[in-house]
Amino acid sequence: MIIKDERDIPKKNKIKFTSQELVSYLYSIIGESFPKAKIIEDTLDSDNNNEKLTYVVHIKQYGAIFNAQLSAKDLIIPVFISGGSSRWYGYTTYDLEIIDNRNEYKTNKLTFNGEDDGKNWGGYSTAKKMLTNAFKQATDALINYLVTNISK
């Protein structure tokens, strides 16, 4: 199994996990579910992948976005009381590439998404909660797919 962080992160964004921390964390989660899986660095060993099935997880998105759109209703009721229309959106996306070298070279790609959003009641703590929920959704879907298909 290979995990690659392929996020495009603008320089002004606040980073919770470095690329290495995020990849290591995902390795540990997958490793708990598949303790016998061979986890290698982010390159395919071309001399050693004949007759094998390789799973490559591409981390495409992992982040939270703030959207502060105020409506007329928010102007009547103070924003600090109502929470306004400002929301945090957490998102995580993985592309799973399955490379089959057992007979003929075949590749298949699947996408797993996690999304959550909530009113900005707690600032960054809300962002963290939305991001955690999105990460859990996408990771659970990925693990469930792997458990179902690897055990076949």
Side-chain angles (χ1 to χ4, degrees), residues 7-139:
R7 297 175 293 161
D8 182 22
I9 305 170
K11 289 184 180 189
K12 66 179 182 173
N13 282 22
K14 184 176 180 177
I15 305 300
K16 168 69 175 156
F17 284 118
T18 66
S19 180
Q20 186 57 42
E21 290 170 329
L22 182 57
V23 168
S24 294
Y25 185 57
L26 193 53
Y27 270 135
S28 68
I29 292 171
I30 292 173
E32 289 175 10
S33 298
F34 302 97
K36 294 182 181 181
K38 179 180 178 187
I39 298 175
I40 59 177
E41 293 301 317
D42 67 355
T43 58
L44 285 172
D45 181 359
S46 59
D47 296 332
N48 196 24
N49 65 4
N50 292 334
E51 304 298 322
K52 293 188 179 179
L53 194 60
T54 303
Y55 293 87
V56 183
V57 177
H58 303 271
I59 303 170
K60 293 297 193 179
Q61 295 182 355
Y62 173 78
I65 295 175
F66 180 70
N67 183 358
Q69 295 178 345
L70 297 177
S71 66
K73 174 186 164 203
D74 298 325
L75 299 175
I76 296 169
I77 302 172
V79 173
F80 68 90
I81 294 174
S82 70
S85 295
S86 59
R87 301 182 76 76
W88 280 101
Y89 297 87
Y91 55 91
T92 302
T93 301
Y94 304 124
D95 284 346
L96 177 64
E97 181 179 15
I98 305 166
I99 303 169
D100 189 349
N101 288 312
R102 292 177 291 190
N103 294 319
E104 295 178 20
Y105 179 82
K106 295 180 189 174
T107 185
N108 188 19
K109 286 191 178 184
L110 302 162
T111 300
F112 300 91
N113 293 305
E115 297 177 357
D116 200 8
D117 68 283
K119 285 192 172 194
N120 187 32
W121 294 109
Y124 284 119
S125 63
T126 302
K128 183 178 178 181
K129 180 179 179 184
M130 298 306 106
L131 183 54
T132 300
N133 291 346
F135 179 80
K136 185 174 179 353
Q137 287 174 13
T139 304

